[in-house]
Amino acid sequence: MSSGPRSGEFCPRCGDAVERPSEADLPGGPKDPDSVLCDDCYFEDFELVDAPDRIEVRVCSQCGALHRGKRWVDVGARDYTDIAVEETAERLSVHVDAEEVDWGVEPEQIDQNTIRMHCLFTGRIRETPLSEEVTVPVYISRETCDRCGRIAGDYYAAIVQVRGTERNPTPEENDRAKEIAEEYVAEREATGDRNAFITETKETKDGLNMKISTNQMGQGIAHRIVRELGGSVSDAPTLVTEDGDGNEVYRVTFVARLPPYTPGDVIDLDDGDGPVVVTSAHGNLKGKRVETGERYEADFEEGIAPDARKLGTRADAERTTVVAVEDERAVQVLDPETFEAKTVPRPDYMDPDADEVPVLKHREGLHVLPDGDEE
């Protein structure tokens, strides 16, 4: 059977004879009426590229998020040229039968909110090379996303309070609690959670108050704070409203209650074994005896709050001169106030070759404390 050019076929539009190999794989296939057109008529109305007249890109003027589909997406951009290129690429379509398609784009910044995209496409149809240039204006519509709108409206679902037990949190504890909350939110944001935010952080005379976007996040932040700083978490829900389905909506206050003593505190347990310098307030209180260096750990029942008096902190200690090491249990140092030589207990954490040691003077006496690198 011959596979040469077909004869007796004519273009239904112009009437010219159409001759092409019978096995030619024409665009559209035999069911496409345009497949029987001659090349001139076929390309007369042919469009290589289908482009919209205008593209609008919705961005949040506060956080830079991009609105895609039915939701806002964090893209971390302030220069939206790359975003305009991506959106243009998604909205342009090339003829399905085009082969060897290549394209390039040259953005032209018209003003702050308008980018003109000059796009050049090349391809091949019916073995014929084609090129087409289209220009699409991209308009940047600046709005406020749901998240930023909630923050601006002082929206929150939970309150995290940082409080001390029989004391106020230290400035360092407040600062660290704030950092922990911000780190927690950043981790959630990194997973794409746009409901993660802190509406307000405020220091009061009693401690730190933070307004958090969701109850789940408030709980997570409170527990992470006590996991690092010690203490316990309590919660108190308050009914605030009902949702559209009649379900009760609660706002929960989570209290991160820090322990009464913190690492570095020197306390007197009045148990006859001498003061203790606290090293940990997790689970139950732990420390070292400042007279012997022996390890101390509170009973399970006492937990993080054994009955004790606070004598001072490591920050109150002053460095003073070691006069002489008398024996394994005693050392002679200068009183930092009177400069008199005094014999005091020598704990085993003290370096016998040290020329100076930190000492804490209080109404119970004078004690050598661990150096900064001691646990």
Side-chain angles (χ1 to χ4, degrees):
M1 186 173 182
S2 174
S3 60
R6 290 180 294 182
S7 61
E9 294 189 13
F10 299 89
C11 175
R13 181 176 298 180
C14 69
D16 289 345
V18 177
E19 292 190 4
R20 59 173 64 93
S22 59
E23 70 273 15
D25 185 14
L26 297 181
K31 293 184 180 181
D32 185 351
D34 287 346
S35 67
V36 299
L37 297 177
C38 67
D39 287 352
D40 289 341
C41 291
Y42 182 82
F43 288 121
E44 184 177 333
D45 299 324
F46 181 84
E47 291 185 354
L48 178 62
V49 182
D50 182 22
D53 295 331
R54 178 178 183 269
I55 295 175
E56 182 177 355
V57 178
R58 298 168 58 189
V59 301
C60 178
S61 59
Q62 302 298 315
C63 68
L66 175 68
H67 192 271
R68 280 180 171 161
K70 295 183 179 180
R71 64 191 185 99
W72 291 91
V73 180
D74 289 311
V75 294
R78 288 295 176 184
D79 179 2
Y80 291 102
T81 302
D82 290 341
I83 301 298
V85 172
E86 292 176 9
E87 292 295 308
T88 302
E90 290 182 5
R91 312 265 184 109
L92 296 178
S93 58
V94 181
H95 197 285
V96 67
D97 295 311
E99 299 176 345
E100 300 176 19
V101 177
D102 194 10
W103 77 294
V105 60
E106 183 178 341
E108 178 188 1
Q109 189 83 40
I110 303 302
D111 55 38
Q112 183 181 3
N113 296 320
T114 307
I115 303 173
R116 188 176 291 156
M117 311 299 293
H118 300 282
C119 310
L120 176 63
F121 286 80
T122 60
R124 184 178 292 275
I125 293 286
R126 290 189 173 189
E127 301 302 320
T128 302
L130 296 177
S131 66
E132 186 171 335
E133 184 174 353
V134 294
T135 300
V136 182
V138 178
Y139 178 72
I140 308 297
S141 175
R142 301 183 187 274
E143 306 174 11
T144 300
C145 70
D146 299 338
R147 179 176 184 269
C148 291
R150 287 184 172 185
I151 295 174
D154 195 33
Y155 173 85
Y156 63 99
I159 298 174
V160 174
Q161 295 180 334
V162 181
R163 299 291 187 267
T165 302
E166 299 179 357
R167 66 181 180 89
N168 292 331
T170 65
E172 292 76 19
E173 287 174 324
N174 284 335
D175 290 343
R176 182 56 190 146
K178 191 186 308 182
E179 290 175 356
I180 291 171
E182 292 170 349
E183 290 167 359
Y184 187 96
V185 169
E187 291 173 9
R188 295 295 295 270
E189 287 179 329
T191 67
D193 185 355
R194 301 202 81 253
N195 290 321
F197 57 87
I198 301 173
T199 303
E200 181 184 76
T201 301
K202 184 178 181 181
E203 290 194 34
T204 71
K205 62 181 180 64
D206 300 319
L208 187 69
N209 292 343
M210 294 180 285
K211 295 179 179 178
I212 310 298
S213 56
T214 69
N215 285 326
Q216 187 276 336
M217 283 191 54
Q219 183 182 46
I221 289 171
H223 280 280
R224 185 173 290 190
I225 289 172
V226 301
R227 191 158 61 240
E228 178 172 329
L229 301 181
S232 59
V233 175
S234 62
D235 59 79
T238 303
L239 179 64
V240 291
T241 186
E242 292 185 354
D243 62 19
D245 297 327
N247 299 314
E248 296 178 335
V249 178
Y250 288 86
R251 178 174 290 159
V252 183
T253 298
F254 298 94
V255 180
R257 182 74 64 179
L258 305 184
Y261 310 114
T262 63
D265 285 348
V266 180
I267 59 176
D268 185 3
L269 299 160
D270 199 24
D271 57 2
D273 292 329
V276 169
V277 57
V278 177
T279 58
S280 172
H282 290 276
N284 55 348
L285 199 74
K286 303 175 184 64
K288 290 184 176 181
R289 297 284 183 177
V290 296
E291 292 186 353
T292 62
E294 293 179 356
R295 185 174 179 272
Y296 163 80
E297 184 170 344
D299 294 337
F300 178 78
E301 293 77 11
E302 295 176 316
I304 58 173
D307 188 18
R309 290 183 298 112
K310 183 175 177 179
L311 303 177
T313 71
R314 284 173 58 163
D316 300 325
E318 298 182 62
R319 299 197 70 82
T320 191
T321 301
V322 176
V323 178
V325 176
E326 297 186 354
D327 55 39
E328 292 183 356
R329 296 179 177 273
V331 61
Q332 199 173 76
V333 298
L334 289 183
D335 186 307
E337 293 181 0
T338 66
F339 300 103
E340 297 177 19
K342 289 188 176 180
T343 299
V344 298
R346 177 195 157 194
D348 58 16
Y349 53 70
M350 176 188 157
D351 181 358
D353 297 324
D355 295 324
E356 288 186 339
V357 290
V359 296
L360 176 68
K361 185 175 182 178
H362 50 87
R363 60 184 180 182
E364 304 296 328
L366 192 67
H367 289 95
V368 177
L369 298 188
D371 268 316
D373 56 353
E374 291 279 354
E375 293 185 358

